[in-house]
Amino acid sequence: MGMTWEELESACSGCQECPLGGTRTNIVIGTGNRNADIMFVGEAPGADEDRTGIPFVGAAGKHLDKFLAAVGIAREDVYIANILKCRPPNNRDPLPEEQDVCIKYLRCQVKLIRPKIIVCLGRISAMRLIDPEFRITKMHGQFFKKGDFHICAVYHPSALLRDASKNEDMYRDMKAIKKKLDELA
Ligand code: URA
C-alpha cells in the first residue's frame, strides 16, 4: 500500500477496522526520524502511550532509551513504532486478527522510511516480522536478511524490567546492532 505520511496519518486517525478503535484514547502511529537507517518495532501501545499518542514513553521506553544511549545510538536517529497502533485492554497480547488488520500501517511506514535495519522488540513483533516460530530466548540478537533490510529481535524492554538477568544479553545484542549499523552506513 503506497501512501504518503499525511495519507497514513489520516487513515490511522479514522481507523475503526477492529474493536480497539473504539477503546483507544489516542492512536500511536510512530515517532522519530523518518529518514532513519534503523527502526524499532514493539508490540502495542500501553497506558502511557495511549494517553500521549507516542510509542515507548513509559517505563519500558525509558529502559530502551538507556540501551540506545549505552551503545551510542541517538534516539533522534531512530524511528520507533509498534505492530498495533491502538492499546489492547489491560495490555493483553495483540490478537492475530488485530495484527492482521493493523500490519498494513507498519508496512507502509517501512516503505516510507526504507530502513537498513529493523529491530523487533520482543517475541510478538519477532513472530510477526521474522518467523511465526521465532523463539526469543534462543534467537535474540541473530540477524536475518529480508528483502532490502536486515532484521533481528531483542528482548522486549518490559521483559528486561521483569527479569534483570536478561540485561546482559540485551547489552550484547544492542552492541552488535550498533556495529551492524556502522557497517551499513
Ligand atoms: N510496549 C510496546 O510494545 N510498545 C509501546 O509503545 C510501549 C510499550
Side-chain angles (χ1 to χ4, degrees):
M1 178 161 78
M3 278 194 190
T4 63
W5 282 106
E6 291 70 28
E7 285 165 344
L8 173 68
E9 279 164 2
S10 147
C12 285
S13 309
C15 185
Q16 291 293 339
E17 286 188 47
C18 85
L20 300 182
T23 56
R24 68 169 176 251
T25 310
N26 285 294
I27 190 117
V28 182
I29 302 174
T31 188
N33 190 329
R34 291 176 174 184
N35 296 310
D37 284 334
I38 183 165
M39 185 170 171
F40 288 80
V41 180
E43 63 183 66
D48 294 308
E49 292 75 24
D50 178 64
R51 191 172 39 77
T52 57
I54 306 168
F56 284 99
V57 288
K62 292 195 172 73
H63 202 53
L64 175 63
D65 286 349
K66 284 187 210 157
F67 283 97
L68 290 172
V71 302
I73 300 176
R75 174 107 187 203
E76 310 82 74
D77 289 343
V78 310
Y79 190 87
I80 307 181
N82 284 303
I83 300 281
L84 290 196
K85 308 300 188 223
C86 294
R87 182 191 182 203
N90 304 315
N91 301 340
R92 64 153 168 73
D93 285 352
L95 302 175
E97 54 268 34
E98 292 163 352
Q99 298 184 37
D100 289 345
V101 291
C102 211
I103 197 77
K104 59 179 171 293
Y105 300 131
L106 181 69
R107 290 217 178 92
C108 184
Q109 288 170 300
V110 171
K111 270 194 192 164
L112 286 164
I113 296 167
R114 306 206 314 117
K116 295 189 169 102
I117 297 176
I118 296 179
V119 180
C120 302
L121 295 168
R123 177 180 66 91
I124 299 275
S125 171
M127 286 170 71
R128 190 74 206 199
L129 301 183
I130 303 176
D131 178 351
E133 304 293 322
F134 197 90
R135 301 288 302 274
I136 194 82
T137 45
K138 283 202 185 129
M139 296 160 81
H140 65 85
Q142 218 175 300
F143 270 99
F144 303 85
K145 185 84 175 46
K146 281 217 169 190
D148 288 341
F149 50 81
H150 299 262
I151 186 162
C152 73
V154 296
Y155 285 115
H156 193 287
S158 303
L160 304 174
L161 291 172
R162 285 193 299 271
D163 177 3
S165 72
K166 294 190 168 83
N167 280 325
E168 218 174 293
D169 277 346
M170 177 66 165
Y171 184 50
R172 199 175 308 125
D173 291 347
M174 289 294 291
K175 277 197 292 194
I177 289 165
K178 167 69 165 128
K179 187 161 171 268
K180 188 88 165 174
L181 188 60
D182 290 343
E183 281 166 14
L184 296 172

